Amino acid sequence: MADPAKRDAILARMRQSLSVGADDEVRRKTVKDRIKAHKPNLVPARAQLPHKKQVELFREQAEAVQSTVTSVARDDDVPAAVADYLRSQNLPQTVRHGDDPLINKLPWRKKAPTLELNKGIADPQDEVSLSHATVGVAETGTLVLTSGSDNPTTLNFLPENHIVVIKAGEIRGTYEDAWQHLRKRDGERTLPRTVNMVTGPSRTGDIEQRIELGAHGPRRLHIIIIGG
Amino acid sequence: MNQTPTSRNFKRNTAGALVNEQLQRALSNVPAGFVDKRARARDKLPEFDALRDQARDIKNHTLAHLDLYYEEYEAKVAASGGHVHWCETADEACKAVVEICKSHSARTVTKGKSMVSEEMNLNAALAEAGVEPVETDLGEYIIQLRGETPSHIIAPAVHLNKDQIEADFRATHTGLPPERNLEEGAALVYEARQILREKFIAADIGITGANMLIAETGTSVIVTNEGNGDLTQSLPKVHIVLATIEKMVPTLEDATTILRLLARSGTGQEFSSYTTFSTGPRREGDPDGPDEYHVVILDNGRTKMLGSDFQEMLRCIRCGACLNHCPVYQAVGGHAYGWVYPGPMGAVLTPSLIGVDEAGHLPNASTFCGRCEEVCPMRIPLPRMMRNWREREFERHLSPATVRSGLSLWAFFAKRPRLYRLATGFAARFLHLWCGGDGKLETLRFAGGWTKHRDFPSPEGRTFMAQWKNRNG
Ligand code: SF4
């Protein structure tokens, strides 16, 4: 297990190389202040737009990295959109999802009676998973998914097809906006066990630098924007 | 133990690489695969160069306060239920990992791509302890099958062609029908996906690297495209992170600035498919994720670089841009460099880590064309540091005669910057000198095969890339 003497030796060597003492209060304050302030650095202009434009940019950027995107007007339209998507891809009408409040309250039985819903973490046999993203980042069409019983992390990676719902209001401009959202939700200096930023389906360029989709994670990433 | 270097043989390695037809064919994918894509990604982001300035400043600030950021970081890892293991040497780091494996009676571990793991030679240590390491990044998987090391820090199998990979898969995946069609890259990717799926599910422990550590939250970050790193760290009971001390950044915002540069510089993507932030083990109520989270922090000589002429090298984020844009790397590939880190970043870092006696040749592997520094997102003055090593080596009289003449040739150009810039064929002339001045590559003597019936002149007058283009039509 961790050896405190080694830790102290390495920290002491850092200080020796930097020619600093362990008791320098000015340095200590500099570090504490920087962490506390967590000031954004230069934020590219690209996504600093009115919200409607951010949603458009999100969609464009997501499609540019081979995500597919549809919009529905209201929450209640999601079940049919999921069923339609599965049919269009010749996929089974079976979906795995977590305990997300939004997903739970959708009128599945009424609007998509053929769809079989399974709750829980991903099973290796699952072909399709459904998640609800915490934030969408317009800058690069990135989904921010956070771990928990509502949206288990394995759903993002194990099945070959991943469907993600997000409300237009959850789409923001930049990654910095996502961090601010999480700090407001969970507090300062803490994150959920896993924060996944997902930008398009899985891919690899390892064979002759040619891009192939579906390396280990989902081959298809389908995003349903509610109210966008 | 550190991976055994062959950097001493750099000259011979280079000569061999230049006449290796498979390698040359594979390396011809680098310009379109990386260089052009980076240029497009940079052009799409007007703030790109301003972000580079900021990223440089973030890292300079972090390195100047590294001890204190580690104190902050460690406290946050502990608060989230994780463990930090401090290791001075590669041996100690291997031991720390093996101990964790033993305490869980682990039989197999899956691994995400990690250059630190290569530096530690961890797979050998695991195998010795009776633990099977399974590389899951496609490129790493391929080279593990072949018993090779990565030839590039972000594209480990860039030295291979599809037909070689197909042959490896046929030889290894013997349970599959021999008549199956593996001609397309997609078929190879799919086959690896199917095979590795079982490994992911069976693994007792998952090991990943870390692109960054964040002091604010005690978080480790991995940046990948395949999703293998995420399956590696979310399915097994234990997640072990390997990181060297320079991976630290202060805040999520600072990490973000660097992330805006990383993929654009490396693969030319705006953002990689998966950027994952991991903080501690699974929380109460979490239905998946690891029960244990360990971070192995390795020094391996880096604290000595702090405060030295080579401190700036610790800003490196391992994007690979300097390799991709280096005429010498493009000509000889990564294995010639003889240790874990090839290309310009390796030429600077390797002597710092394994000593100038072993790696003193590497800083000569430069034409001083300056492209590496031009593209480095962290604005690391790579040519200046290579020069620094060269001068040190020269002073130590370790240089063989050809290196000295290389140095004086370089010095001639260095004193005449206008001429230097004009010398577009400098790489060619450099390698000509490097490979012996008689106009024939000395390896002709033992290259055999395809060079038997033709002269393979060492480059004269034209650049390597021009020769390649000609030769490959
Ligand atoms: S030295 Fe610069 S360009 Fe090379 S890998 Fe490191 S960060 Fe990238």
Side-chain angles (χ1 to χ4, degrees):
Chain A
M1 273 283 119
D3 178 350
K6 283 216 184 100
R7 163 195 190 273
D8 294 346
I10 291 176
L11 290 180
R13 269 215 307 281
M14 287 179 186
R15 289 182 180 122
Q16 194 186 3
S17 290
L18 294 167
S19 311
V20 295
D23 52 354
D24 188 330
E25 283 312 312
V26 178
R27 289 177 78 241
R28 212 166 272 277
K29 186 169 175 330
T30 306
V31 164
K32 294 246 182 238
D33 287 352
R34 186 175 178 116
I35 290 175
K36 192 155 179 223
H38 49 69
K39 266 209 331 258
N41 302 299
L42 172 65
V43 179
R46 178 193 286 178
Q48 300 186 27
L49 301 164
H51 185 252
K52 210 164 159 266
K53 293 261 180 222
Q54 286 178 338
V55 176
E56 279 169 32
L57 179 64
F58 172 83
R59 183 182 184 127
E60 267 169 45
Q61 293 289 67
E63 286 174 344
V65 291
Q66 290 80 38
S67 306
T68 52
V69 185
T70 46
S71 301
V72 297
R74 297 169 306 123
D75 294 1
D76 286 5
D77 301 328
V78 170
V82 170
D84 287 349
Y85 175 73
L86 296 178
R87 255 190 304 275
S88 74
Q89 301 297 320
N90 281 322
L91 290 165
Q93 294 277 324
T94 307
V95 169
R96 173 79 63 177
H97 66 92
D99 212 7
D100 185 79
L102 169 69
I103 294 176
N104 279 342
K105 74 170 199 354
L106 297 174
W108 295 103
R109 225 173 280 152
K110 209 165 113 212
K111 298 288 184 96
T114 55
L115 209 59
E116 184 191 325
L117 293 165
N118 298 311
K119 216 184 252 190
I121 65 171
D123 180 277
Q125 307 308 322
D126 292 337
E127 285 190 57
V128 185
S129 57
L130 174 69
S131 305
H132 174 201
T134 306
V135 178
V137 177
E139 187 172 350
T140 45
T142 298
L143 296 160
V144 180
L145 297 130
T146 50
S147 58
S149 57
D150 47 354
N151 290 284
T153 301
T154 46
L155 295 184
N156 305 342
F157 298 99
L158 206 49
E160 221 168 300
N161 307 279
H162 192 200
I163 304 174
V164 180
V165 293
I166 185 164
K167 291 180 168 256
E170 290 162 339
I171 294 174
R172 287 149 212 267
T174 65
Y175 317 113
E176 283 84 350
D177 295 333
W179 298 134
Q180 277 311 86
H181 172 81
L182 287 180
R183 287 190 185 108
K184 232 160 120 194
R185 191 189 83 174
D186 298 346
E188 294 284 317
R189 297 203 67 175
T190 184
L191 284 180
R193 149 66 198 169
T194 309
V195 177
N196 292 122
M197 288 189 175
V198 176
T199 312
S202 158
R203 68 198 64 209
T204 182
D206 274 347
I207 300 178
E208 296 185 349
Q209 275 42 69
R210 253 157 247 142
I211 303 301
E212 301 288 351
L213 298 185
H216 290 293
R219 182 185 307 269
R220 297 191 191 88
L221 176 63
H222 184 64
I223 303 172
I224 301 174
I225 303 175
I226 305 170
Chain B
M1 71 223 94
N2 278 327
Q3 201 186 92
T4 317
T6 65
S7 309
R8 278 174 196 274
N9 305 334
F10 181 62
K11 183 177 164 182
R12 195 181 328 140
N13 297 348
T14 306
L18 285 168
V19 294
N20 181 335
E21 189 264 347
Q22 281 276 21
L23 174 65
Q24 295 303 334
R25 191 151 57 90
L27 288 173
S28 70
N29 294 320
V30 169
F34 293 113
V35 174
D36 302 353
K37 285 186 193 159
R38 175 200 175 265
R40 282 199 295 274
R42 177 206 56 201
D43 292 348
K44 268 200 251 166
L45 188 67
E47 295 90 347
F48 189 76
D49 284 333
L51 287 167
R52 290 168 71 195
D53 292 337
Q54 291 202 337
R56 173 198 59 207
D57 296 347
I58 289 167
K59 272 295 197 188
N60 283 348
H61 164 84
T62 312
L63 291 170
H65 300 82
L66 195 59
D67 53 323
L68 299 176
Y69 280 117
Y70 265 101
E71 288 184 3
E72 293 287 336
Y73 167 80
E74 189 187 33
K76 284 319 264 186
V77 175
S80 62
H83 306 277
V84 177
H85 306 257
W86 298 83
C87 303
E88 292 188 23
T89 63
D91 260 342
E92 285 178 20
C94 284
K95 222 179 277 165
V97 174
V98 166
E99 254 170 51
I100 299 167
C101 290
K102 283 195 173 146
S103 73
H104 291 274
S105 311
R107 304 237 304 267
T108 65
V109 305
T110 40
K111 293 179 70 206
K113 211 184 96 50
S114 156
M115 291 311 292
V116 177
S117 161
E118 299 292 334
E119 186 177 329
M120 290 159 61
N121 206 5
L122 176 61
N123 286 1
L126 287 170
E128 206 171 290
V131 182
E132 185 201 359
V134 180
E135 296 290 349
T136 62
D137 171 87
L138 180 59
E140 291 279 349
Y141 175 70
I142 292 165
I143 61 167
Q144 190 183 25
L145 292 184
R146 298 173 63 87
E148 292 179 340
T149 54
S151 67
H152 190 292
I153 58 175
I154 66 164
V158 71
H159 59 288
L160 297 171
N161 296 297
K162 207 169 55 190
D163 46 343
Q164 294 170 288
I165 299 165
E166 177 181 345
D168 293 332
F169 277 21
R170 289 194 187 281
T172 315
H173 306 155
T174 47
L176 297 171
E179 68 280 4
R180 70 196 186 280
N181 187 340
L182 289 179
E183 237 164 76
E184 298 297 319
L188 293 167
V189 172
Y190 189 74
E191 182 161 314
R193 178 188 174 104
Q194 295 308 106
I195 299 266
L196 284 165
R197 203 125 272 248
E198 290 157 28
K199 305 281 187 186
F200 282 124
I201 291 156
D204 304 298
I205 290 180
I207 300 177
T208 67
N211 290 82
M212 285 185 267
L213 304 174
I214 303 173
E216 178 185 353
T217 46
T219 298
S220 57
V221 185
I222 59 169
V223 179
T224 70
N225 276 311
E226 297 183 1
N228 65 305
D230 290 283
L231 291 171
T232 294
Q233 66 164 63
S234 61
L235 294 174
K237 291 190 297 280
V238 181
H239 176 199
I240 303 176
V241 178
L242 310 174
T244 43
I245 59 163
E246 74 272 35
K247 303 285 181 178
M248 184 60 64
V249 294
T251 64
L252 293 164
E253 276 72 6
D254 293 328
T256 300
T257 297
I258 290 172
L259 286 170
R260 285 197 175 98
L261 295 166
L262 176 59
R264 287 183 173 93
S265 299
T267 53
Q269 291 169 285
E270 295 231 281
F271 220 54
S272 299
S273 298
Y274 303 117
T275 302
T276 298
F277 300 77
S278 305
T279 312
R282 73 159 81 173
R283 309 290 160 76
E284 213 182 308
D286 281 358
D288 54 14
D291 295 326
E292 283 183 29
Y293 175 75
H294 298 267
V295 188
V296 173
I297 307 281
L298 174 62
D299 177 354
N300 215 20
R302 288 166 174 82
T303 44
K304 276 197 249 116
M305 293 170 72
L306 278 176
S308 81
D309 288 351
F310 300 100
Q311 170 166 327
E312 289 182 275
M313 193 60 222
L314 296 175
R315 289 204 300 265
C316 174
I317 54 171
R318 308 286 187 267
C319 72
C322 59
L323 283 65
N324 299 336
H325 290 76
C326 174
V328 177
Y329 180 91
Q330 286 182 5
V332 302
H335 286 151
Y337 292 78
W339 201 58
V340 179
Y341 301 104
M345 58 78 70
V348 174
L349 188 59
T350 306
S352 297
L353 299 185
I354 64 173
V356 74
D357 285 351
E358 277 295 348
H361 281 323
L362 298 185
N364 297 301
S366 166
T367 65
F368 295 99
C369 67
R371 277 162 86 188
C372 50
E373 184 173 0
E374 252 164 55
V375 297
C376 175
M378 307 306 287
R379 295 206 188 277
I380 298 173
L382 293 156
R384 197 184 78 206
M385 288 193 281
M386 277 187 261
R387 230 148 34 219
N388 192 327
W389 275 126
R390 267 169 96 138
E391 279 154 16
R392 284 179 189 215
E393 194 205 353
F394 187 70
E395 280 160 22
R396 288 165 51 112
H397 300 293
L398 290 172
S399 295
T402 43
V403 177
R404 275 200 293 277
S405 57
L407 180 63
S408 50
L409 178 64
W410 163 77
F412 173 83
F413 280 99
K415 284 184 201 128
R416 297 163 181 80
R418 220 173 65 86
L419 239 187
Y420 183 99
R421 276 196 299 275
L422 284 174
T424 50
F426 194 54
R429 277 188 285 280
F430 161 77
L431 284 164
H432 167 91
L433 236 165
W434 185 256
C435 294
D438 66 352
K440 300 274 190 298
L441 287 170
E442 69 168 334
T443 41
L444 262 182
R445 265 167 258 141
F446 53 85
W450 75 289
T451 57
K452 217 195 275 168
H453 302 294
R454 54 184 291 195
D455 259 0
F456 191 83
S458 51
E460 255 170 308
R462 277 179 305 156
T463 64
F464 262 84
M465 292 321 291
Q467 291 214 343
W468 259 241
K469 277 191 187 120
N470 277 351
R471 226 160 2 106
N472 300 326

